[in-house]
Amino acid sequence: MAKAKTAYVCSDCGSDHRKWQGQCQDCGAWNTLAEVRLAAAGAAAAPAGRQGYAGAVGELQSLSSVQIEDLPRIASGFEELDRVLGGGFVPGSAVLLGGHPGAGKSTLLLQVLCRLAARSRCLYVTGEESLQQVALRARRLGLSAEELQLYSETSLEAVLAQANQHRPSVLVVDSIQVLHSEQVSSAPGSVSQVRECAAALTRFAKQTNTVLIMVGHVTKDGALAGPKVLEHIIDCSIMFEGGSDSRYRTLRGHKNRFGAVNELGVFAMTEQGLKEVKNPSAIFLNRGDVQAAGSVVMVVWEGTRPLLVEIQALVDESNYGNPRRVAVGLEQNRLAMLLAVLHRHGGLQLGDQDVFVNVVGGVKVLETGADLALLFAIVSSFRDRALPEDLVVFGEVGLSGEIRPVPSGQERLQEAKKHGFSRAIVPKANAPRGDIAMDVVAVSTLAEAIEAM
């Protein structure tokens, strides 16, 4: 029998090496090479389990002749989760759910499966918790778990055998990092184990039209642990964000082959488990009775809906030679760039001031439409003048001081009006086309925007 060969693959860039070494020659990363088992030389064709990775193997067809089956989506029972998924679970899809420890990943999946088990077969495979621990959580949350099937196992072959026998409509694996295959010699959680186990489970899901949900760990930097190829294998990647110090959790989509990316779902952690937040703008706009300087409300666009959040800034005289620039919920480098634009085109010198900015509620703002609101909060704190409570601001700021338009400007204004805001400062290209019963000031440069304050 031919001897199986091994290779060493970098977990950062995916390049192959013939032998182990401390540093990857392609990307320069240290201690990222992991052993991967290859097929034996002169081996026969791939076994039947490896054929048809994305479904049954068929003949060559033209694109126009491919028959599209209308597979109905499976509603999860949570509208916020269905929004992030693009309308619900798609049969035969692989979903990867990541998040920090304690965020509530297992709680969310247990609640979803207990609801789905009433109308379809569901199998919950737990490798990190015992069956008694899962049962205690279900009892504590008051869930109806008579129809849900549990299985405690970390062997890939045993999980696949049980899934083939039970034939569930929804299969949950918690988590993919503790699963191991007997065909791979490395330890559970390694690059080769995670890749092979995820590929085998995804192959089973696509060939049997099973919804596969895998729970993934994250590193200390917040990225998904394991090889980058794991995110390429699956169809949908969502992150459950939120620390133990906050009762609110956000569910954000990073990849979705069946819907829009960057969708945001908001949940609240309660004694009865996770509850949906139907109107997330209301919780992020819980402002104090006295309007303070350095606070302004902006409208960001998350996926397919607008979201009103409050941004705060604190500008204080620096006691050191190197002033601090701290951004929480915003990009650090963009803050430094906007301060330079404010100095050049706004006439405000903040080189000797410490600048701290924060997005209230723990929301991470990734779009550039928050630039103008961020500068308004900084100017308000620097001049110690509070902005009107009914004012909303959005717009992108360019390096030459121009105010650029943002997508879905009319929908943002309608959302602000719905929450009682009567004044707005927006880019000139986003000026309302009709009467929306709001005092809207359209500006084209940063100097005009500061004057409008």
Side-chain angles (χ1 to χ4, degrees):
M1 182 177 180
K3 183 179 179 181
K5 294 184 178 181
T6 58
Y8 295 89
V9 181
C10 177
S11 59
D12 285 357
C13 66
S15 61
D16 295 336
H17 298 75
R18 301 181 63 181
K19 61 181 181 179
W20 187 90
Q21 54 193 23
Q23 185 182 25
C24 176
Q25 296 179 353
D26 294 332
C27 66
W30 289 90
N31 298 325
T32 57
L33 299 188
E35 181 183 359
V36 176
R37 190 174 181 181
L38 304 177
R50 288 187 175 272
Q51 295 179 359
Y53 171 76
V57 179
E59 298 179 354
L60 186 66
Q61 299 181 25
S62 63
L63 181 59
S64 59
S65 64
V66 177
Q67 296 182 358
I68 303 176
E69 298 180 0
D70 188 13
L71 294 177
R73 291 178 180 260
I74 302 175
S76 65
F78 288 99
E79 294 182 3
E80 293 294 307
L81 177 58
D82 291 340
R83 176 193 296 272
V84 177
L85 294 172
F89 294 109
V90 177
S93 64
V95 180
L96 179 63
L97 175 62
H100 289 280
K105 304 183 296 296
S106 300
T107 301
L108 175 63
L109 292 179
L110 185 60
Q111 290 182 254
V112 170
L113 258 66
C114 286
R115 297 185 180 186
L116 291 177
R119 59 180 187 270
S120 59
R121 289 186 177 182
C122 297
L123 176 59
Y124 191 103
V125 179
T126 170
E128 298 179 348
E129 296 178 296
S130 64
L131 299 181
Q132 290 76 13
Q133 289 175 314
V134 178
L136 284 174
R137 178 186 290 116
R139 180 181 301 178
R140 185 175 70 250
L141 301 178
L143 301 176
S144 176
E146 288 81 4
E147 303 296 332
L148 179 59
Q149 300 294 321
L150 296 180
Y151 187 49
S152 179
E153 185 57 67
T154 58
S155 173
L156 173 65
E157 289 75 15
V159 171
L160 290 177
Q162 191 70 28
N164 279 309
Q165 180 182 357
H166 186 67
R167 288 293 180 176
S169 299
V170 181
L171 172 62
V172 171
V173 178
D174 187 5
S175 65
I176 188 62
Q177 271 79 14
V178 301
L179 217 60
H180 70 277
S181 173
E182 301 296 338
Q183 305 298 325
V184 182
S185 59
S186 56
S190 61
V191 173
S192 54
Q193 285 283 7
V194 172
R195 181 169 62 179
E196 291 300 322
C197 292
L201 289 171
T202 305
R203 191 180 309 114
F204 167 80
K206 292 186 178 298
Q207 293 177 353
T208 59
N209 262 358
T210 303
V211 176
L212 171 65
I213 307 175
M214 296 181 290
V215 178
H217 295 172
V218 296
T219 63
K220 60 181 180 181
D221 298 327
L224 280 168
K228 197 66 177 178
V229 71
L230 177 61
E231 299 180 52
H232 293 278
I233 294 176
I234 49 93
D235 299 310
C236 180
S237 175
I238 53 181
M239 291 291 293
F240 208 37
E241 302 169 351
S244 57
D245 56 342
S246 174
R247 65 188 295 257
Y248 295 108
R249 307 287 193 269
T250 57
L251 191 65
R252 186 185 297 273
H254 291 273
K255 173 188 176 181
N256 194 351
R257 290 173 176 164
F258 309 106
V261 295
N262 286 331
E263 281 283 4
L264 185 71
V266 183
F267 296 85
M269 180 64 78
T270 65
E271 295 181 355
Q272 290 77 30
L274 291 164
K275 301 292 184 182
E276 295 179 278
V277 179
K278 300 292 186 179
N279 187 11
S281 296
I283 64 172
F284 297 136
L285 292 180
N286 190 11
R287 313 173 79 179
D289 297 334
V290 180
Q291 185 68 7
S295 174
V296 66
V297 175
M298 58 183 175
V299 189
V300 297
W301 194 261
E302 293 289 349
T304 58
R305 67 177 177 183
L307 184 65
L308 275 73
V309 295
E310 179 186 359
I311 185 170
Q312 294 179 335
L314 175 62
V315 180
D316 192 19
E317 184 178 355
S318 177
N319 296 323
Y320 304 98
N322 187 17
R324 300 183 62 190
R325 275 85 173 97
V326 179
V328 179
L330 294 163
E331 189 178 355
Q332 187 87 15
N333 294 332
R334 194 160 190 86
L335 171 61
M337 182 190 71
L338 291 176
L339 289 175
V341 175
L342 182 62
H343 175 221
R344 181 67 179 270
H345 302 285
L348 271 71
Q349 172 59 266
L350 302 179
D352 57 344
Q353 304 287 322
D354 290 332
V355 180
F356 305 90
V357 294
N358 174 48
V359 180
V360 178
V363 181
K364 293 183 180 179
V365 179
L366 305 177
E367 67 163 344
T368 57
D371 293 348
L372 189 58
L374 172 61
L375 291 182
F376 269 43
I378 293 174
V379 174
S380 172
S381 178
F382 179 70
R383 293 179 174 176
D384 197 18
R385 296 180 182 177
L387 295 173
E389 189 175 3
D390 58 348
L391 174 67
V392 66
V393 181
F394 60 86
E396 180 182 353
V397 180
L399 291 179
S400 58
E402 78 277 13
I403 307 300
R404 296 179 175 271
V406 297
S408 307
Q410 306 300 314
E411 290 80 359
R412 298 179 195 234
L413 290 175
Q414 293 291 343
E415 181 73 10
K417 176 188 173 183
K418 186 174 67 175
H419 286 82
F421 290 87
S422 58
R423 285 184 274 187
I425 299 179
V426 301
K428 192 172 184 180
N430 290 127
R433 301 180 181 90
D435 186 15
I436 61 171
M438 288 184 67
D439 184 11
V440 180
V441 179
V443 295
S444 57
T445 62
L446 181 58
E448 294 181 10
I450 295 179
E451 183 179 356
M453 290 180 60

